[in-house]
Amino acid sequence: MKNNFTPENELLFLALGGSGEIGMNVNLYGCDGKWLMVDLGMTFSGNEYPGVDLVFADLEFIEERTRDLLGIVLTHAHEDHIGAVPYFAGELGVPLYATPFTADLVARKLEEAGLLGKVELNIIEEDHGQIDIGPFSVTYLPLAHSIAEGNALLIDTPYGKVFHTGDWKLDEEPIIGEPTTEEELRAIGDDGVHTLVCDSTNVFNPNPSGSEGAVHTGLMEEVAKHAGKRVLVTTFASNVARLQTLGEVARENGRQLCVAGRSLDRIIEVAQDNGYLENFPQTVDFNTAMNLPRGEVMILATGGQGEPRAALSRIADDNHRLSLSSGDVVLFSSRQIPGNEISIGKIQNMLAAKGVTMVTDRQSMIHVSGHPGRPELEALYEWLRPEVLVPVHGEIRHMREQAKVGKEAGIPHNVVQSNGDIVRLAPGDPGRLAQVRNGRLVLDGDIIAPADGEAITMRRRISGEGVMVVVLLRGEKPAIEAVGLPLDEDLPEFIEETQEDILKAIGKLKGRDAQDPAAVHEAARLAARRAARRWAGKSPQVRVIMPGLVREGSR
């Protein structure tokens, strides 16, 4: 590999997102001077980035090498694998490849971004579809997951084959789709797999993830228990197999189905356009649902992760045309994603206050994960018999644990890498070659900005420490506005004392400093901050405004 990180006669792997974290998957394979991208996802923001909804991987490395990037191959349609496409596909300027369901959702995203027709989108029509992209020959291999058309990729190169799992599980009753069989996977292993790049999410689960067929039975039994009661079920909108099950559960329990949530409406429409959910029952509108006898309606709603603007949150807060009351039932047919505990708990407390009964996957077989437990990982190792294992799609603890499991299963080489690590997979023993720049970007309003930029950093500081604005006027006391300081009734006294402190600090300046706007500015800023620390134990951001003087600004 040259100093400019152009792959030579070798096979390279580089994660720009999704390694050391769950979400924001962006993986690159390098071979014979070219790069191939697998997935272009995003993640949702938390408290770490105030005022931000979406977080992306920083693509600077590959943006500087677009002449060598051949295409973007998408494994499936979850947001952590396709969510960044409308924000970066136009700039990257390379073809996209996806199976029909995924391609339909991507096309809608491109249309909303004004990019439909400007970005080449290639549809891989059949299972086991194959595409040749430069030195890479890519075969789509259907695997079960919690969405329609989840796929692994078999990437054939001059230096060996890579089995890139995407998100997957083993499921004997998948409800939707026909996953690649054990016999087919063993045959792939017989032909030789050099590297397995594998989902690590559920490595600590000692049991198989479970079957959608079992969830069908569990939901049927659970809804039947609540005859005469209004039932609401919340699940991941993208889980088409679960939607199929819920449609059947409603029908077989004599309930009309009502759908609440735009993402559910969109997924149902896309699924039906691509040959899924053909027997999904006709839904009823909100008014009809509320006028039906309680035992004759089942509501399917978004918001099981506590999203404040989703249907379930609004229903719990009495801010929706659908409503629940004492004796009604909410089934959480979804797992609690780490980090969402507080928001989910808030909604559950609101429901509990209404007297609503809640059932989760801990109490009833109403959900299974879409990711492999340890037995499934070990089965895949046995079938494929790779020479190298590269864990991805997990926090560091997940990836290290999977490397340990792989070693115990007899895989000769196990490579634990992080975002930004360039790993040579072949030829020779695999290993890390270099660390390249990587990081995060945020969608802040309508602007994509560095996650560690001044705006986000300042906003984070303000959210924790508050802000003060000091206006210095000649011959007058400083005007002070304090926002976010816990002073309440003490605020007038604090402002008066701070004004005196500022004037004293400025008065102590001698000689040139007394005439230097920069020195005056800094004296006022430090005096205001010291006063805030003394009164409130806070170190706010202080903005000093000096009308008519040369120096203005803040630190």
Side-chain angles (χ1 to χ4, degrees), residues 2-328:
K2 301 174 184 177
N3 291 336
N4 65 357
F5 302 114
T6 299
E8 298 181 336
N9 300 326
E10 59 192 346
L11 176 58
L12 305 178
F13 175 79
L14 167 62
L16 294 178
S19 287
E21 60 196 351
I22 296 178
M24 205 169 65
N25 297 279
V26 182
N27 298 297
L28 290 166
Y29 291 94
C31 180
D32 291 351
K34 300 300 180 182
W35 292 97
L36 179 70
M37 183 179 290
V38 174
D39 291 330
L40 181 52
M42 58 83 170
T43 192
F44 294 100
S45 175
N47 296 330
E48 185 178 2
Y49 305 115
V52 167
D53 289 327
L54 307 183
V55 183
F56 310 114
D58 189 338
L59 303 183
E60 179 183 289
F61 173 86
I62 198 63
E63 286 172 340
E64 293 175 348
R65 296 164 177 81
T66 53
R67 67 189 182 281
D68 297 328
L69 180 64
L70 299 176
I72 303 171
V73 183
L74 304 171
T75 58
H76 66 284
H78 275 144
E79 290 296 318
D80 61 330
H81 293 258
I82 67 167
V85 167
Y87 300 96
F88 296 97
E91 181 178 351
L92 292 173
V94 296
L96 306 174
Y97 300 87
T99 53
F101 178 81
T102 302
D104 198 337
L105 285 170
V106 168
R108 292 168 187 246
K109 289 178 176 291
L110 294 175
E111 184 174 22
E112 291 173 3
L115 292 173
L116 189 62
K118 299 177 182 179
V119 175
E120 181 182 335
L121 177 57
N122 297 283
I123 300 175
I124 311 304
E125 290 289 357
E126 69 239 47
D127 291 347
H128 300 80
Q130 182 177 326
I131 47 176
D132 293 322
I133 312 172
F136 306 96
S137 179
V138 181
T139 303
Y140 275 78
L141 299 170
L143 290 181
H145 185 43
S146 54
I147 193 170
E149 298 181 13
N151 289 279
L153 304 174
L154 185 62
I155 305 172
D156 197 356
T157 78
Y159 311 99
K161 294 178 181 177
V162 176
F163 192 102
H164 184 104
T165 68
D167 295 359
W168 69 285
K169 61 183 285 186
L170 298 180
D171 193 338
E172 295 181 356
E173 297 179 85
I175 304 295
I176 292 291
E178 297 182 9
T180 303
T181 65
E182 175 184 340
E183 291 73 23
E184 291 172 315
L185 293 170
R186 284 188 181 274
I188 291 170
D190 292 342
D191 286 341
V193 171
H194 183 275
T195 300
L196 173 62
V197 177
C198 190
D199 176 1
S200 307
T201 310
N202 273 356
V203 65
F204 289 106
N205 185 354
N207 303 309
S209 56
S211 169
E212 279 296 325
V215 175
H216 184 285
T217 301
L219 282 166
M220 195 71 70
E221 294 174 351
E222 188 63 41
V223 172
K225 291 179 185 178
H226 304 291
K229 301 177 181 179
R230 183 174 293 154
V231 172
L232 182 150
V233 184
T234 182
T235 191
F236 297 112
S238 60
N239 194 336
V240 175
R242 193 70 49 81
L243 301 184
Q244 173 78 25
T245 289
L246 290 168
E248 294 173 3
V249 167
R251 182 185 295 112
E252 294 184 29
N253 278 277
R255 293 176 180 263
Q256 297 288 311
L257 190 64
C258 178
V259 174
R262 285 179 295 177
S263 58
L264 278 166
D265 291 334
R266 183 175 66 253
I267 290 291
I268 291 169
E269 180 182 350
V270 172
Q272 291 178 331
D273 286 348
N274 287 277
Y276 304 106
L277 302 182
E278 293 181 342
N279 297 316
F280 197 72
Q282 186 69 36
T283 59
V284 298
D285 61 27
F286 297 157
N287 289 335
T288 301
M290 294 305 296
N291 287 319
L292 286 169
R294 307 188 86 80
E296 294 182 15
V297 65
M298 188 171 88
I299 300 166
L300 179 55
T302 58
Q305 297 304 309
E307 303 95 320
R309 288 174 288 186
L312 179 59
S313 177
R314 294 171 57 204
I315 292 169
D317 195 32
D318 293 326
N319 187 29
H320 197 282
R321 283 184 288 166
L322 296 173
S323 64
L324 297 172
S325 57
S326 181
D328 291 338

